[in-house]
Amino acid sequence: MRPDARAWFENRTTSATSLAEIDVPALLAAKRRGGHAVSVVLPARNEAATVGGLVTDLVQRWVRDVPLVDEVVVMDSDSTDDTAAIARAAGAVVVATADVLPGQGTRPGKGEALWKSLAATTGDLVVFMDSDLLNDVSHYVPGLLSPLLADTRVSYVKGCYTRPLSVDGQVRAAGGGRVTELTARPLINALWPELAGFVQPLGGEYAGRRSALEQVPFVSGYGVEVGLLVDLLQVCGLPGLAQVDLGTRVHSHQTDEALGVMAGQIVSTVLARAARGSTDRHRVSPAACSPSLRTTAKASCPPASRWRSTSARRWSPSPSTSTASAPRSSYRSGVSSRAATRSAGVS
């Protein structure tokens, strides 16, 4: 690992593996002192089995009991199950991605849901969490917010964790995140070695300042996370990025075929950004993107600052919008050693 990457890792990686490691009263005081509003966004497509429990805990713990979060929004991407109804009953504001900024067109994929959430939320601090999490993640939101509330120089925070892997009914303590280890991290280490300290560049749990998030495009498909990381490096610089060890992450696993599609889109996203140049002037010829990779590339949603400066203003549900839940006021009232070990895998 390069000296600048190691120095960043040692200075910008903190630990929040459980609530016991987090000073919640101090976070709440920092939020109030800074006049911040916090939005938590869960992109979801057919996650009826898990979204209800996640939303229930988030709303009860961080909206009602401790007012650290101002809104919990589920961005529903054309679910065909009961995801929307379950999330709404649990207390979230549910927004159909198709209803947001229709004039901007449709770019199906997770990235579109994340991008459109910037129009459907109001917080200056935005926390993103996947909707298929299976373990206790009650500490994720305050853990991700901690660096943003503690240091105004930090604009983007990635979560990192151990990812157990289930194989033939047997659970291994680690081994999840195969695309991360076999595809994403080797490419990042080669092309942007200053980012080698990020343990989970593809992880779905992260937080950022709206002012930074609105300056970058969102790849609509699986490349959204690595695209954000590379693009925000250009916007914020390495000192503006941080990482939090959140302990363990358990989620549903995809098939090998699905992982292949994911890997292809990630490679395409990385090569597209390498072709335009990085901070170290690493470049890849456009010819390096084979036709097969180009077919897996997903369209990017432009920086939100573009539509915010035009007639397309922030989306808000009308009283008759079927995907919106009850008014938000209705629920408002009521560096660890393990992280260092993980990062040591990239030299």
Side-chain angles (χ1 to χ4, degrees), residues 28-285:
L28 191 58
K31 178 198 172 187
R32 290 170 172 164
R33 186 166 56 250
H36 298 293
V38 175
S39 301
V40 175
V41 173
L42 292 85
R45 187 174 190 276
N46 295 335
E47 300 293 356
T50 53
V51 71
L54 288 170
V55 170
T56 297
D57 184 72
L58 284 169
V59 171
Q60 185 62 51
R61 191 183 298 271
W62 301 122
V63 179
R64 292 177 179 153
D65 293 347
V66 178
L68 186 64
V69 172
D70 296 280
E71 57 185 355
V72 176
V73 177
V74 170
M75 298 297 297
D76 183 45
S77 298
D78 303 316
S79 292
T80 57
D81 63 5
D82 293 330
T83 292
I86 290 172
R88 187 179 303 113
V93 174
V94 179
V95 178
T97 57
D99 291 342
V100 183
L101 301 175
Q104 296 293 318
T106 300
R107 302 166 180 81
K110 178 183 179 183
E112 180 190 45
L114 299 176
W115 177 69
K116 286 188 172 182
S117 75
L118 295 179
T121 56
T122 59
D124 63 298
L125 303 180
V126 185
V127 181
F128 298 103
M129 290 177 56
D130 281 347
S131 298
D132 63 345
L133 303 177
L134 300 173
N135 57 311
D136 176 14
V137 296
S138 58
H139 58 292
Y140 277 22
V141 168
L144 289 166
L145 287 171
S146 293
L148 294 170
L149 291 172
D151 190 342
T152 57
R153 295 171 298 178
V154 174
S155 293
Y156 186 64
V157 182
K158 286 285 290 185
C160 66
Y161 18 62
T162 296
R163 300 175 67 175
L165 178 64
S166 178
V167 179
D168 298 327
Q170 300 295 317
V171 178
R172 301 175 183 174
R178 289 163 287 175
V179 175
T180 296
E181 297 303 324
L182 298 176
T183 304
R185 290 183 69 190
L187 284 170
I188 289 172
N189 196 38
L191 296 168
W192 296 278
E194 63 268 51
L195 294 176
F198 279 92
V199 178
Q200 297 287 349
L202 305 184
E205 286 66 50
Y206 40 94
R209 300 188 191 277
R210 178 180 294 274
S211 57
L213 295 170
E214 290 190 350
Q215 300 307 310
V216 295
F218 283 58
V219 177
S220 63
Y222 288 119
V224 60
E225 275 85 19
V226 69
L228 285 174
L229 184 60
V230 172
D231 290 343
L232 285 167
L233 172 66
Q234 311 301 318
V235 171
C236 308
L238 191 60
L241 311 179
Q243 177 173 248
V244 178
D245 181 1
L246 297 173
T248 302
R249 182 184 194 270
V250 181
H251 65 107
S252 56
H253 293 289
Q254 301 197 52
T255 64
D256 288 347
E257 181 180 6
L259 292 178
V261 173
M262 179 187 296
Q265 292 183 14
I266 288 164
V267 170
S268 181
T269 300
V270 168
L271 292 182
R273 278 149 178 77
R276 76 184 185 204
S278 75
T279 53
D280 279 352
R281 294 186 172 85
H282 291 286
R283 292 186 180 272
V284 176
S285 168

Side-chain angles (χ1 to χ4, degrees), residues 9-29:
F9 179 83
E10 293 174 351
N11 293 307
R12 280 285 192 251
T13 302
T14 54
S15 179
T17 60
S18 70
L19 284 174
E21 289 191 74
I22 302 171
D23 188 343
V24 174
L27 284 184
L28 191 58

